[in-house]
Amino acid sequence: MLAVEADRVWKYFGDYPALRGASLQVPQGACMALLGRNGAGKTTMLRILANLSRATKGDVKIFGDGSRSDIVRRKTGYLGHGIGVYDDLSALENLMLFGRLLGVDNPEKAAMEALERVGLERVKDGMAREFSRGMRQRLAVARAFIHQPELLLLDEPFTSLDDRAINVLQSLLKDALSRGSTIVMSTHQIREAMELATNVALLERGKIVHTGPQTPEMLADPGWLYRTYGDGPVAE
Amino acid sequence: MLAVEADRVWKYFGDYPALRGASLQVPQGACMALLGRNGAGKTTMLRILANLSRATKGDVKIFGDGSRSDIVRRKTGYLGHGIGVYDDLSALENLMLFGRLLGVDNPEKAAMEALERVGLERVKDGMAREFSRGMRQRLAVARAFIHQPELLLLDEPFTSLDDRAINVLQSLLKDALSRGSTIVMSTHQIREAMELATNVALLERGKIVHTGPQTPEMLADPGWLYRTYGDGPVAE
Amino acid sequence: MREKAIYILAILAALVMIPNLKTVFMGLPDEAMQGAIYRIIFIHVPAAINAQIFFTVSLVTSILFLVKKNFLWDSISVSCIEVGTMLVLVNLVTGSIWGRNQWGIWWAWDLRMTSQLMCFLLYLGYLLVRPAIAEPTQRASISAFVAIFAYADIPLVLMAIRLPNVRTQHPGPVLETGTMAPEFRAPFGLGVLAVFLICTALILIRQHQETAQREIDSLRRELHSI
Amino acid sequence: MKRGLITALAIAKKDLQTELRTKESINASASFALVILVLFSFAFDLGREELYAISGGMLWLVFSFAGALIVNRSFARELPNDCLDVLIASPAPAWAIFLGKSVAAFLLLFIVELISLPVFGLFYNIHWTDRFGGLLLVMALATWGITVVGTAFSAVTVNIRLRELMLPVLLYPILIPLLIGAMGTTTALLGGEPMFGQAASGEALASLRLLVGFDVIYTSLALYMIEFILIV
Amino acid sequence: MKRGLITALAIAKKDLQTELRTKESINASASFALVILVLFSFAFDLGREELYAISGGMLWLVFSFAGALIVNRSFARELPNDCLDVLIASPAPAWAIFLGKSVAAFLLLFIVELISLPVFGLFYNIHWTDRFGGLLLVMALATWGITVVGTAFSAVTVNIRLRELMLPVLLYPILIPLLIGAMGTTTALLGGEPMFGQAASGEALASLRLLVGFDVIYTSLALYMIEFILIV
Ligand code: HEM
Ligand SMILES: Nc1ncnc2c1ncn2[C@@H]1O[C@H](COP(=O)(O)OP(=O)(O)OP(=O)(O)O)[C@@H](O)[C@H]1O
Ligand SMILES: Nc1ncnc2c1ncn2[C@@H]1O[C@H](COP(=O)(O)OP(=O)(O)OP(=O)(O)O)[C@@H](O)[C@H]1O
Ligand SMILES: [Mg+2]
Ligand SMILES: [Mg+2]
């Protein structure tokens, strides 16, 4: 079954079409890297998939369900540019709150487990405000994972992280993949993404111009994809 | 002469020392890549060099001048996380305003030249608000360059840029270097930085643990520096 | 050392205050026009005078902080202002009670009362803004700035009953005009001294807490950053 | 429905927890109310009779200013780390998020009102204690109206620039009927008129009906429409 | 000094340009002023005499609310793209940045006042045209006081949570003497008293002196101290 199925999705901001009939299929269990230049529409696409924004035209089905029922929403985890946790709550309180909102059975237990997974159990009562950037990002990951989502939507998850934080995040994502989750992530850091990606999709000016499995060329040379399927890096 | 000379600089945020006696020398005409993990103190250091923040202890001299006179401030350009241009002014108005503030002789002429350098002369009357992310970043670069600064301080300039925008930025920076300017930039994207860097400095927990010229190892393997001089990527 | 100073101050305060309270309540006769209620003056005025003293200290230490950037000055400022604001509140409440008894109303909007209320609100603003700023250096600088601005009200409070063409509901000056009965003067002076001693002890305690709190905060941050 | 209410409760609890933990917002709004009361007092330097005549008006002006500040934070509180996105993406229904936030704002504003009322009585020498029950009823009804409409507009304005400017401009005109009702009843109550029974003029009852109607209409409207506002 | 003034002018021009281009803050604050005027008219259902007695008070309340909205944006306008950092890093002296922003805020508030004054006259049937000169003088002096202190506090609160709440809490108490002066003089002027000459009561002159004193003290204090809070 397909985890994500977007069929000719259009999204207008005013008169400007940020997406112009983008179609995307992500099989279950895959890790899809959504690549594309600045302004190509990656964030827009992910927000539509996460039901944060409505497509102007076109159909989006998540796990075969086009109606955005809360059953589907309970299966998705979203991590955008912001970390999505409250600065004035402790790590544990944050996770318990989101556990409750996401309909997790035992929010406290789930929260503790999530904290352990990201290695924050020691500081569970610390306010998120006091965390360093790396810790905040981990808390955000724990938050996005707390309900063991079957579909993870990540917008530039590696931005501004150091090598060590990137490793932690990658191993968490690998874990999730091995449990059968599906991942869609946008990124400009192609090398880091390719460690995980099984599939890639290339967005250009609101259209998907290429989708396919990851190939060795992409790993070896990050620019290859753009040169082959996109319009290449031209000097302007 | 040294362009930047920081001598055992301490910066306390309250009682927390973000910098603990960091010393940094940047010779004139060099491009220094300031590397370090999240929270190491890169941003703090750059802000002190840019006179946006005062060191608690220690001396900072820019072009041999420790007093932060406005002559020195006129020689520095700073580009932080934010792009530092006004959304409701046109590209030209923005640059003319900053030209005037920076004491450029003929603000209008300087602004037009700067726009040409970054390839925005076509849209000089467009509001910055309407620019795409890549265009905004270029405008920010033009802003930081308008007074032909002899010292450029850049905080993670490559973040969230696509390959093409990175190329444009890199060639601008190479230009500046060839004109004799000095650059200090922080970054996590070591590969992109190494294209330009002549020197590297590694910050760890508020101390500079290594400075030296760029070597081929660094180019080939971005983790090498951390492993050799830092405490290496340990699993936590 | 600090602890000793606090104990000594507290003991001194007790030594001054207890006999003085005895004089005030048992020794002095009721006042001719007001009856027993006039005894409020022995807390109403010392509270105001001490508040003004501590605000003045905070003005000086705020300026010192801005110049020297040493957190010691900041911690003294904030302790002085906390205690001073409490004293102003005491002054306002006792004044209101007195007014209710004398004039039949809790409050009249004359210049003295208004300026004193303004003083309370200004320093309350200081105490509100402080915790909203997370970064300590910034917090201390901004606090110092606000404290200096707020102090501009103090001369107004003092002048309020001394301006030639302003009529106030509040009684005029009694101290420097010598209208205070001679037997009231000693207990009054001792009252001022007692409040001063107690509050200085409080300020020392608060100042210590403030410093300790900053250290704890930074230790916790350090722990987190590992 | 049940899950929705659980969500609403969780959200309300979270809002109150963060607000009351830092106590900033409640302290600041209470002192804001205090400061405005003081400002009014020089602005309207009136005799005793006239003071009573405008007492309800003043009180509700202060409450509605404080209310605008409180609801302004209602959805804005979700902005810093993009928490709003997470809430919307979660299975929590939009109306439950909205309801939770309205309840939290209501409680916060109510606390501020309870703090300001005695201060108001003191400053203006107005007796309010013997009509406290009636006042509480009016306060509860009108405060709910202010917060429910305010929270709805807070959701509308959360993503626009100049949020803090636009909110009052949108909010106050809508609140006018509610405020007229609340002001009238409050003035009557403070003037010594009872609310029910023989001596009541009937106007108070009419005002109460107005308040209830306002609350019912706007609460249902907001609950129903919030979905369309939050997801664009 | 000369370069500082050029900078101040450039900053003031920039602020006015962005403001007048989008007209956001001026529209919002003018409509806020109007809305408040309308609210007042419901809240204070008074006779003609009493209206004149509180006219100055009402007017300055409205102006100071509108002023708080305008100065709130003064430094906040620099936040979106971290423009404030760029300003501070530039050779422009802090006092010049501050001065430029104060001037811009002054002009904006003055425009809003000039818009609201006739509306006020219409709503409340108050004649103001024959005392326009005196009113202008009072407005200029008091508005400068409001904006200079307001801009200073806008710099203080620019980076703190709850900015829009903290600013009025800090600002209004400091403005009390200024507002008392402005309100008194304005009421007298609207009541028909001339400001100078034989028939003047002398109080107006005392108030003017108060306003000038306030302006001078706080302007110099702010210009001198702003450096310490902008660069930390
Ligand atoms: C809430 C209302 C009141 C306030 C805010 C208030 C405030 C003050 C203040 C600030 C002082 C100045 C102390 C100093 O010189 O440093 C003072 C002094 C004094 N108050 Fe009050 N007061 C109030 C009510 C009253 C009432 C009702 C009375 C008596 C009927 C009273 C009698 C005095 C006297 C006799 C002094 C000493 C005057 C002097 O020589 O300075 N006050 N008050
Ligand atoms: N809220 C919005 N209003 C108007 N235009 C928007 C909005 N959001 C995005 N856009 C426009 O839509 C286009 C796609 O934006 P989007 O953020 O999806 O790009 P992206 O691929 O995520 O780029 P980046 O790599 O820079 O993050 C851009 O041209 C952008 O300017
Ligand atoms: N304004 C501030 N208040 C309190 N602490 C701060 C502040 N700015 C920075 N810090 C702390 O100082 C340390 C250094 O921060 P800094 O931003 O300089 O790190 P960095 O090297 O730039 O990290 P990153 O790679 O994540 O950008 C961190 O622990 C951070 O939490
Ligand atoms: Mg994006
Ligand atoms: Mg940084």
Side-chain angles (χ1 to χ4, degrees):
Chain A
M1 196 173 78
L2 290 174
V4 172
E5 196 178 355
D7 187 25
R8 279 160 297 165
V9 172
W10 287 72
K11 175 72 185 182
Y12 279 91
F13 288 114
D15 284 349
Y16 177 78
L19 292 179
R20 319 174 192 218
S23 300
L24 187 68
Q25 278 96 29
V26 185
Q28 226 162 350
C31 175
M32 166 74 84
L34 190 61
L35 307 177
R37 293 241 159 71
N38 290 135
K42 304 180 292 299
T43 301
T44 310
M45 189 69 170
L46 283 171
R47 288 180 64 87
I48 289 178
L49 297 182
N51 199 25
L52 290 173
S53 166
R54 289 208 176 94
T56 315
K57 259 189 295 185
D59 288 330
V60 175
K61 285 194 185 134
I62 307 287
F63 298 118
D65 180 347
S67 69
R68 301 325 191 68
S69 62
D70 48 341
I71 299 158
V72 166
R73 286 198 269 168
R74 205 163 303 157
K75 286 187 193 160
T76 15
Y78 173 76
L79 180 55
H81 290 261
I83 56 173
V85 296
Y86 295 98
D87 282 340
D88 289 318
L89 294 182
S90 73
L92 185 62
E93 283 166 349
N94 260 306
L95 293 183
M96 280 170 62
L97 170 68
F98 287 108
R100 212 163 280 138
L101 293 185
L102 290 160
V104 170
D105 277 339
N106 185 342
E108 180 145 15
K109 188 156 147 281
M112 279 310 296
E113 280 170 11
L115 283 175
E116 266 163 46
R117 257 198 316 270
V118 297
L120 289 179
E121 71 277 21
R122 238 177 1 105
V123 289
K124 69 180 165 53
D125 293 320
M127 298 290 135
R129 164 178 317 291
E130 294 163 0
F131 287 5
S132 73
R133 194 192 283 204
M135 291 162 77
R136 290 161 74 84
Q137 185 75 10
R138 285 191 209 179
L139 182 58
V141 172
R143 194 263 305 147
F145 276 72
I146 187 163
H147 52 311
Q148 311 251 4
E150 294 170 36
L151 172 63
L152 269 165
L153 304 167
L154 311 173
D155 197 3
E156 307 201 20
F158 301 115
T159 296
S160 290
L161 290 187
D162 62 25
D163 53 336
R164 202 184 282 168
I166 288 179
N167 280 343
V168 171
L169 183 56
Q170 280 175 338
S171 68
L172 275 169
L173 292 179
K174 275 180 195 149
D175 268 14
L177 282 175
S178 68
R179 281 198 316 270
S181 301
T182 314
I183 298 178
V184 182
M185 63 176 157
S186 83
T187 189
H188 289 293
Q189 276 155 290
I190 300 181
R191 261 174 256 261
E192 281 79 10
M194 287 307 162
E195 295 250 313
L196 297 162
T198 56
N199 300 44
V200 297
L202 184 62
L203 254 177
E204 223 174 75
R205 290 166 202 242
K207 284 205 192 81
I208 300 272
V209 293
H210 170 75
T211 38
Q214 199 215 45
T215 59
E217 292 98 322
M218 298 176 191
L219 247 182
D221 173 8
W224 181 85
L225 196 73
Y226 283 108
R227 284 199 306 277
T228 317
Y229 300 103
D231 57 4
V234 291
E236 272 179 279
Chain B
M1 196 173 76
L2 290 174
V4 172
E5 195 177 358
D7 187 25
R8 278 160 295 165
V9 170
W10 288 73
K11 174 73 187 181
Y12 281 89
F13 288 114
D15 282 352
Y16 176 77
L19 292 179
R20 318 176 192 218
S23 300
L24 187 68
Q25 277 96 29
V26 185
Q28 226 163 351
C31 174
M32 166 76 82
L34 190 61
L35 308 176
R37 293 240 158 70
N38 289 136
K42 304 181 292 301
T43 300
T44 310
M45 188 68 171
L46 283 171
R47 287 179 63 87
I48 288 178
L49 296 183
N51 199 24
L52 290 173
S53 167
R54 290 209 175 94
T56 315
K57 260 188 292 187
D59 288 331
V60 175
K61 286 197 185 129
I62 308 286
F63 298 119
D65 179 347
S67 67
R68 298 327 190 70
S69 61
D70 48 341
I71 298 159
V72 165
R73 286 198 269 168
R74 207 165 300 159
K75 286 190 194 160
T76 18
Y78 173 76
L79 180 55
H81 290 261
I83 56 172
V85 296
Y86 294 98
D87 281 341
D88 289 317
L89 293 182
S90 73
L92 185 61
E93 283 166 348
N94 261 305
L95 294 184
M96 278 170 62
L97 169 68
F98 287 109
R100 211 162 281 137
L101 293 186
L102 290 160
V104 171
D105 276 339
N106 184 342
E108 179 144 16
K109 186 156 148 280
M112 279 310 297
E113 280 171 12
L115 283 175
E116 265 162 47
R117 259 200 313 272
V118 297
L120 287 179
E121 72 277 20
R122 252 181 339 108
V123 288
K124 69 181 166 52
D125 292 320
M127 299 291 133
R129 163 177 317 292
E130 294 159 2
F131 285 7
S132 77
R133 194 191 282 203
M135 288 158 79
R136 291 160 74 83
Q137 185 76 11
R138 286 190 209 177
L139 182 56
V141 172
R143 194 263 303 146
F145 277 71
I146 186 159
H147 52 310
Q148 310 252 8
E150 292 170 37
L151 172 64
L152 269 164
L153 304 167
L154 311 172
D155 197 5
E156 307 202 19
F158 301 116
T159 296
S160 289
L161 289 187
D162 62 26
D163 53 337
R164 201 184 283 168
I166 288 178
N167 280 343
V168 172
L169 182 57
Q170 279 173 338
S171 67
L172 275 170
L173 292 179
K174 274 179 198 153
D175 268 13
L177 282 176
S178 68
R179 280 199 316 271
S181 301
T182 313
I183 299 179
V184 183
M185 64 176 158
S186 83
T187 189
H188 289 294
Q189 278 157 285
I190 300 181
R191 275 191 192 82
E192 281 80 10
M194 286 309 161
E195 295 250 314
L196 296 163
T198 55
N199 299 45
V200 296
L202 184 61
L203 254 176
E204 222 173 77
R205 291 167 200 241
K207 284 204 195 81
I208 300 272
V209 293
H210 169 74
T211 38
Q214 198 215 47
T215 58
E217 292 99 321
M218 298 175 190
L219 247 182
D221 172 9
W224 181 83
L225 197 72
Y226 284 107
R227 282 198 307 278
T228 316
Y229 301 102
D231 57 7
V234 293
E236 276 179 276
Chain C
M1 173 55 203
R2 172 199 304 277
E3 307 236 309
K4 242 185 236 156
I6 292 173
Y7 284 129
I8 292 173
L9 281 171
I11 292 168
L12 274 181
L15 287 181
V16 176
M17 197 171 66
I18 294 168
N20 195 43
L21 280 180
K22 190 160 169 267
T23 335
V24 167
F25 283 105
M26 328 273 263
L28 292 179
D30 279 2
E31 215 244 15
M33 312 220 306
Q34 301 191 0
I37 188 80
Y38 84 95
R39 288 189 176 83
I40 276 189
I41 198 175
F42 294 108
I43 180 69
H44 176 77
V45 185
I49 290 178
N50 278 293
Q52 284 151 9
I53 293 174
F54 294 130
F55 288 148
T56 311
V57 175
S58 84
L59 173 73
V60 174
T61 50
S62 293
I63 294 173
L64 280 174
F65 176 83
L66 287 181
V67 177
K68 299 254 170 23
K69 299 281 173 200
N70 184 337
F71 280 97
L72 173 69
W73 302 123
D74 175 58
S75 61
I76 298 178
S77 290
V78 64
S79 334
C80 281
I81 287 179
E82 275 178 11
V83 171
T85 311
M86 183 199 76
L87 287 174
V88 171
L89 188 62
V90 168
N91 171 266
L92 287 171
V93 170
T94 52
S96 279
I97 295 172
W98 202 352
R100 171 78 199 180
N101 181 285
Q102 288 299 304
W103 313 324
I105 48 172
W106 297 101
W107 190 264
W109 291 102
D110 75 0
L111 188 55
R112 164 50 69 83
M113 296 178 197
T114 306
S115 55
Q116 181 74 341
L117 179 65
M118 189 181 141
C119 175
F120 177 69
L121 292 175
L122 284 171
Y123 285 103
L124 193 67
Y126 174 100
L127 295 176
L128 279 176
V129 166
R130 238 186 114 79
I133 308 164
E135 201 272 295
T137 316
Q138 202 182 12
R139 174 169 56 212
S141 310
I142 287 179
S143 302
F145 184 88
V146 175
I148 294 171
F149 263 64
Y151 191 80
D153 179 51
I154 302 290
L156 193 62
V157 175
L158 287 175
M159 275 167 4
I161 52 171
R162 297 180 173 87
L163 289 176
N165 50 1
V166 174
R167 287 270 306 121
T168 50
Q169 176 94 10
H170 190 274
V174 295
L175 298 177
E176 74 256 26
T177 53
T179 30
M180 184 180 267
E183 71 263 35
F184 288 0
R185 282 186 195 149
F188 179 82
L190 289 175
V192 173
L193 182 64
V195 173
F196 179 77
L197 292 172
I198 298 170
C199 290
T200 311
L202 280 179
I203 286 171
L204 286 180
I205 295 172
R206 271 294 300 133
Q207 190 264 336
H208 182 59
Q209 271 174 2
E210 185 71 22
T211 311
Q213 185 64 47
R214 210 160 16 87
E215 273 158 18
I216 292 170
D217 281 352
S218 70
L219 281 180
R220 194 172 50 214
R221 294 261 319 282
E222 193 121 14
L223 184 80
H224 284 173
S225 70
I226 300 171
Chain D
M1 187 66 193
K2 171 132 169 297
R3 278 207 33 74
L5 289 182
I6 294 179
T7 308
L9 212 71
I11 300 263
K13 191 178 144 217
K14 186 273 299 174
D15 269 17
L16 288 174
Q17 210 173 12
T18 50
E19 277 311 303
L20 297 180
R21 172 159 300 155
T22 56
K23 293 204 192 57
E24 278 166 11
S25 148
I26 196 131
N27 282 346
S29 355
S31 27
F32 178 78
L34 197 82
V35 169
I36 301 283
L37 271 178
V38 174
L39 277 192
F40 277 179
S41 79
F42 331 112
F44 310 131
D45 189 10
L46 291 172
R48 204 161 165 64
E49 283 297 291
E50 292 125 29
L51 254 184
Y52 265 102
I54 65 169
S55 56
M58 265 203 291
L59 207 53
W60 281 104
L61 277 183
V62 173
F63 291 170
S64 59
F65 288 160
L69 289 179
I70 287 180
V71 296
N72 183 21
R73 304 248 318 131
S74 206
F75 272 89
R77 195 180 297 128
E78 307 291 328
L79 287 183
N81 298 326
D82 287 352
C83 291
L84 189 56
D85 281 353
V86 181
L87 287 188
I88 295 174
S90 82
W95 64 261
I97 299 174
F98 171 75
L99 188 64
K101 295 205 148 284
S102 304
V103 169
F106 171 80
L107 290 176
L108 288 174
L109 181 54
F110 208 65
I111 296 175
V112 170
E113 292 178 358
L114 288 181
I115 298 173
S116 344
L117 189 61
V119 178
F120 173 77
L122 271 182
F123 276 176
Y124 295 96
N125 288 301
I126 281 179
H127 299 287
W128 51 274
T129 37
D130 37 344
R131 289 282 175 268
F132 191 50
L135 280 178
L136 269 189
L137 182 63
V138 177
M139 273 162 59
L141 287 175
T143 305
W144 177 256
I146 293 177
T147 45
V148 83
V149 179
T151 310
F153 280 125
S154 154
V156 171
T157 53
V158 65
N159 276 320
I160 65 178
R161 284 173 297 157
L162 289 182
R163 169 170 49 79
E164 59 281 14
L165 290 186
M166 290 315 290
L167 183 68
V169 173
L170 291 174
L171 180 59
Y172 292 138
I174 286 215
L175 290 182
I176 284 178
L178 176 104
L179 289 178
I180 292 182
M183 285 168 176
T185 327
T186 307
T187 305
L189 282 171
L190 291 177
E193 227 177 83
M195 186 173 267
F196 305 107
Q198 296 285 306
S201 66
E203 257 184 55
L205 223 63
S207 293
L208 278 192
R209 222 172 285 138
L210 173 81
L211 293 183
V212 173
F214 187 99
D215 286 1
V216 169
I217 292 177
Y218 280 106
T219 308
S220 27
L221 211 59
L223 284 178
Y224 185 72
M225 305 235 312
I226 195 75
E227 176 108 29
F228 302 100
I229 296 173
L230 282 183
I231 307 179
V232 193
Chain E
M1 185 67 194
K2 170 132 173 295
R3 279 207 33 74
L5 289 181
I6 295 179
T7 308
L9 210 72
I11 300 261
K13 191 178 145 216
K14 187 273 298 176
D15 269 18
L16 288 174
Q17 209 173 13
T18 51
E19 224 22 89
L20 296 179
R21 180 161 293 161
T22 57
K23 294 208 190 52
E24 281 167 342
S25 129
I26 200 151
N27 280 348
S29 107
S31 32
F32 182 73
L34 297 186
V35 169
I36 302 278
L37 276 177
V38 175
L39 275 190
F40 277 177
S41 76
F42 292 117
F44 308 135
D45 191 8
L46 290 172
R48 198 152 174 70
E49 283 296 292
E50 290 124 30
L51 253 183
Y52 266 100
I54 65 171
S55 55
M58 261 202 293
L59 209 52
W60 281 103
L61 273 185
V62 172
F63 291 169
S64 59
F65 289 156
L69 289 183
I70 286 179
V71 296
N72 182 23
R73 301 258 314 136
S74 205
F75 272 89
R77 195 179 296 128
E78 306 292 326
L79 286 183
N81 297 326
D82 288 353
C83 292
L84 191 55
D85 281 353
V86 180
L87 287 190
I88 295 173
S90 81
W95 65 262
I97 299 175
F98 171 77
L99 188 65
K101 294 204 149 286
S102 305
V103 170
F106 171 80
L107 291 175
L108 289 173
L109 181 54
F110 208 67
I111 296 175
V112 171
E113 292 177 358
L114 288 180
I115 298 173
S116 343
L117 189 62
V119 178
F120 171 79
L122 271 180
F123 272 7
Y124 295 96
N125 252 315
I126 281 181
H127 300 287
W128 51 275
T129 35
D130 37 345
R131 288 283 174 267
F132 191 49
L135 279 178
L136 270 189
L137 182 62
V138 177
M139 273 161 59
L141 287 175
T143 305
W144 177 255
I146 294 178
T147 44
V148 82
V149 180
T151 309
F153 281 133
S154 155
V156 164
T157 52
V158 65
N159 274 319
I160 69 181
R161 286 172 283 161
L162 292 181
R163 170 165 50 81
E164 56 277 18
L165 209 56
M166 289 298 183
L167 181 67
V169 168
L170 287 176
L171 179 60
Y172 292 144
I174 283 216
L175 291 183
I176 286 177
L178 176 102
L179 290 178
I180 293 182
M183 284 168 177
T185 325
T186 308
T187 305
L189 282 172
L190 291 177
E193 223 176 87
M195 186 172 267
F196 304 105
Q198 296 284 307
S201 65
E203 258 186 53
L205 223 63
S207 293
L208 278 192
R209 221 173 287 137
L210 174 80
L211 293 183
V212 172
F214 187 99
D215 286 359
V216 169
I217 292 176
Y218 282 107
T219 307
S220 29
L221 210 57
L223 283 179
Y224 187 72
M225 302 225 318
I226 197 76
E227 174 107 32
F228 293 104
I229 51 170
L230 282 184
I231 307 178
V232 187

